[in-house]
Amino acid sequence: MLEKREFYINGKWVAPAVANDFHVINPSTEEPCAVISLGSEADTNAAVAAAKAAFPAWMATPVAERIALVEKLVEVYSRRGEDLAQAMSLEMGAPIDMSRTQQVGAGIWHLKNFLTAAKNFEFERPLGDHAPNDRIIYEAVGVAALITPWNWPMNQVTLKVGAAAIAGCTMILKPSEQSPLNAMVFAELMDEAGFPAGVFNLVNGDGVGVGSQLSGHPDVDMVSFTGSTRAGIAISKNAAETLKKVHLELGGKGANVIFADADDKAVKRGVLHMMNNTGQSCNAPSRMLVQRPIYDQAVETAAEVAKSVTVGNALDEGRHIGPVVNELQWNKIQGLIQKGIDEGARLVAGGLGRPEGFNKGYFVRPTVFADANNQMTIAREEIFGPVLTMIPFDTEEEAIEIANDTPYGLTNYVQTQDGARANRMARVLRSGMVEMNGKSRSAGSPFGGMKQSGKGREGGVWGLEDFLEVKAVGGWAAE
């Protein structure tokens, strides 16, 4: 078992002020795989003080130099990819092949996209032709607290760190205590890349402790948080006392609207997308809305596909899904599956308990419910596990009504060969993202939601802008 309790503060690995051990659990075995320390208020204050002290010089560093350091980070990250993959598989249960490709790959993708966006971003620009002596200056927000989740660790760490670094912010990263090991590897990468002391700091901790201390700290200028809607509300309330900027990427309950003219792989694609990462994705297409002429066949197909999804230990190579992250999540998912049964949805695949052959580990059976309606609990709540809810519809108008009838608004999906209808749907679906016919969003596209799915956007130009203040200057002098 790995024992590593250090925090990365002001360019050094330091011991916690107070020993407060936390056992990281391998969800494939239910056994401890590492011991970390949860930070105290003294650790939080030390990290914030280091970031605050480093901020003036880092903000004044030419953008080209900040970009060059992120380019160096990409180089180091690429070399250490296997270390990151092994850590994520061990601590949060992503199957190792998936961890190497998708989990690690997401981080390199985002960093490279930020570099492209930064090289074309005008940090100082004229207001317009009508005002030759006015300038708009984009200036770093300041000290940023970055609070990241366990489900896509490197995806979220790089979306925040990459943008903050290029923008000129200094930062304190608090990764999820459920998946801290990959973040500690990432701190080693930041150190090797040569970021100045105090620019990047890491303190492990939980939300009640370090998370609350950061979101309420008077010397923290911004909080960028990814996680549950419940936690996002708590952070917003705590941050309001100091009027700091708050960026939230929260939950989702995406609708995948499959019309009768959808391509013949649309249902299979939707089920596999739902099961990816064991359903632990905020943008998962967890509600499959199917037009009635093809509904019965879609249910049959969805059940077959779900039954073909294999489950296995995260450290085993191969194409399978791993466990969910911990016992709390496992119990929550079991409760919601039982709720689906009790409320009258038809169980066509999976169900309660562990998959056959497993008596240990937080493994969940790939599950599909049919004949649900949008008022059922399994259609309202974010399950965050490999559970798909299927709902029939008749008309385009009904599909829109069902899809939008949710407190969330992160990602919706549309499957139709009618281009005009696809575009109509994209315009009226109330979500920050819409993906159609299996086409994912392209490089530099912003990630973020509406309603209770949060506020702000990550990735590309929009991700940079979230870490920048806008300064208007009148009477700009010729130099």
Side-chain angles (χ1 to χ4, degrees), residues 128-206:
D129 293 340
H130 68 292
N133 296 322
D134 280 43
R135 288 293 184 274
I136 299 297
I137 298 175
Y138 286 86
E139 183 176 291
V141 170
V143 175
L146 315 177
I147 304 175
T148 55
W150 46 261
N151 60 322
W152 286 92
M154 274 301 108
N155 182 78
Q156 293 307 134
V157 168
T158 54
L159 275 171
K160 298 181 191 304
V161 172
I166 291 171
C169 293
T170 54
M171 63 206 92
I172 305 98
L173 172 64
K174 190 210 82 65
S176 168
E177 69 276 20
Q178 306 294 329
S179 60
L181 305 181
N182 69 91
M184 296 169 85
V185 173
F186 186 82
E188 294 175 359
L189 310 187
M190 293 291 287
D191 186 72
E192 186 177 342
F195 283 84
V199 169
F200 173 87
N201 306 274
L202 179 144
V203 178
N204 285 311
D206 57 17

Side-chain angles (χ1 to χ4, degrees), residues 26-31 313 322-324 326-327 330 353-355 358-364:
N26 176 348
S28 292
T29 65
E30 301 184 36
E31 299 294 334
N313 188 298
V324 295
N326 57 28
E327 183 180 13
W330 193 88
R354 291 179 175 85
F358 290 88
N359 59 14
K360 199 171 189 182
Y362 304 122
F363 298 99
V364 176

Side-chain angles (χ1 to χ4, degrees), residues 69-242:
L69 279 168
V70 174
E71 288 175 329
K72 178 64 175 176
L73 174 63
V74 168
E75 177 189 320
V76 178
Y77 184 108
S78 300
R79 194 166 64 247
R80 295 286 303 276
E82 183 63 17
D83 294 336
L84 292 165
Q86 292 288 340
M88 288 184 280
S89 290
L90 181 69
E91 63 193 340
M92 56 75 58
I96 187 62
D97 285 353
M98 180 263 190
S99 192
R100 288 169 177 149
T101 54
Q102 296 182 46
Q103 294 277 5
V104 173
I108 207 81
W109 167 260
H110 293 311
L111 292 175
K112 287 181 177 179
N113 288 340
F114 279 132
L115 290 169
T116 299
K119 289 172 183 176
N120 296 303
F121 192 91
E122 292 182 274
F123 286 82
E124 293 186 8
R125 65 186 70 171
L127 174 63
D129 293 340
H130 68 292
N133 296 322
D134 280 43
R135 288 293 184 274
I136 299 297
I137 298 175
Y138 286 86
E139 183 176 291
V141 170
V143 175
L146 315 177
I147 304 175
T148 55
W150 46 261
N151 60 322
W152 286 92
M154 274 301 108
N155 182 78
Q156 293 307 134
V157 168
T158 54
L159 275 171
K160 298 181 191 304
V161 172
I166 291 171
C169 293
T170 54
M171 63 206 92
I172 305 98
L173 172 64
K174 190 210 82 65
S176 168
E177 69 276 20
Q178 306 294 329
S179 60
L181 305 181
N182 69 91
M184 296 169 85
V185 173
F186 186 82
E188 294 175 359
L189 310 187
M190 293 291 287
D191 186 72
E192 186 177 342
F195 283 84
V199 169
F200 173 87
N201 306 274
L202 179 144
V203 178
N204 285 311
D206 57 17
V208 174
V210 175
S212 294
Q213 293 157 15
L214 286 170
S215 60
H217 202 292
D219 289 335
V220 169
D221 301 295
M222 173 182 177
V223 178
S224 179
F225 169 77
T226 301
S228 70
T229 297
R230 174 194 55 77
I233 292 169
I235 284 170
S236 297
K237 289 179 178 178
N238 196 32
E241 292 292 329
T242 49

Side-chain angles (χ1 to χ4, degrees), residues 337 341 345-352 367-370:
I337 291 173
I341 295 168
R346 177 161 59 102
L347 185 66
V348 297
L352 293 165
T367 296
V368 177
F369 282 104

Side-chain angles (χ1 to χ4, degrees), residues 7 15-21 37-40 42-43:
F7 302 153
V18 180
N20 184 11
D21 286 356
S37 272
L38 302 182
S40 66
D43 299 309

Side-chain angles (χ1 to χ4, degrees), residues 127-423:
L127 174 63
D129 293 340
H130 68 292
N133 296 322
D134 280 43
R135 288 293 184 274
I136 299 297
I137 298 175
Y138 286 86
E139 183 176 291
V141 170
V143 175
L146 315 177
I147 304 175
T148 55
W150 46 261
N151 60 322
W152 286 92
M154 274 301 108
N155 182 78
Q156 293 307 134
V157 168
T158 54
L159 275 171
K160 298 181 191 304
V161 172
I166 291 171
C169 293
T170 54
M171 63 206 92
I172 305 98
L173 172 64
K174 190 210 82 65
S176 168
E177 69 276 20
Q178 306 294 329
S179 60
L181 305 181
N182 69 91
M184 296 169 85
V185 173
F186 186 82
E188 294 175 359
L189 310 187
M190 293 291 287
D191 186 72
E192 186 177 342
F195 283 84
V199 169
F200 173 87
N201 306 274
L202 179 144
V203 178
N204 285 311
D206 57 17
V208 174
V210 175
S212 294
Q213 293 157 15
L214 286 170
S215 60
H217 202 292
D219 289 335
V220 169
D221 301 295
M222 173 182 177
V223 178
S224 179
F225 169 77
T226 301
S228 70
T229 297
R230 174 194 55 77
I233 292 169
I235 284 170
S236 297
K237 289 179 178 178
N238 196 32
E241 292 292 329
T242 49
L243 291 175
K244 56 174 56 69
K245 186 175 185 179
V246 178
H247 169 115
L248 302 172
E249 297 292 348
L250 307 176
K253 194 68 181 176
N256 185 8
V257 183
I258 301 180
F259 287 95
D261 68 341
D263 68 89
D264 58 6
K265 292 194 172 87
V267 174
K268 179 179 181 180
R269 185 168 64 238
V271 176
L272 293 178
H273 190 173
M274 179 63 237
M275 302 301 167
N276 188 46
N277 204 36
T278 320
Q280 299 172 121
S281 302
C282 52
N283 61 343
S286 53
R287 292 181 296 153
M288 183 179 281
L289 281 50
V290 184
Q291 200 162 25
R292 210 171 292 275
I294 63 166
Y295 178 75
D296 290 341
Q297 180 58 55
V299 170
E300 187 177 318
T301 300
E304 290 174 359
V305 173
K307 290 171 183 175
S308 75
V309 175
T310 56
V311 179
N313 188 298
L315 292 175
D316 291 343
E317 297 190 350
R319 297 185 64 182
H320 55 268
I321 64 172
V324 295
V325 71
N326 57 28
E327 183 180 13
L328 182 68
Q329 287 296 120
W330 193 88
N331 287 331
K332 175 193 171 188
I333 294 163
Q334 298 303 307
L336 285 165
I337 291 173
Q338 184 64 59
K339 198 82 169 173
I341 295 168
D342 294 344
E343 292 183 359
R346 177 161 59 102
L347 185 66
V348 297
L352 293 165
R354 291 179 175 85
E356 187 176 346
F358 290 88
N359 59 14
K360 199 171 189 182
Y362 304 122
F363 298 99
V364 176
R365 300 170 68 190
T367 296
V368 177
F369 282 104
D371 304 348
N373 65 63
N374 207 47
Q375 301 315 308
M376 291 180 176
T377 304
I378 55 172
R380 307 300 298 179
E381 293 190 17
E382 186 179 34
I383 298 172
F384 231 59
V387 181
L388 175 68
T389 301
M390 299 184 72
I391 303 172
F393 72 89
D394 289 300
T395 65
E396 182 178 324
E397 291 72 24
E398 184 185 6
I400 293 165
E401 182 180 353
I402 295 170
N404 285 340
D405 180 20
T406 174
Y408 296 107
L410 190 58
T411 315
N412 285 305
Y413 303 82
V414 179
Q415 321 296 329
T416 178
Q417 298 305 296
D418 183 334
R421 176 161 59 195
N423 292 344

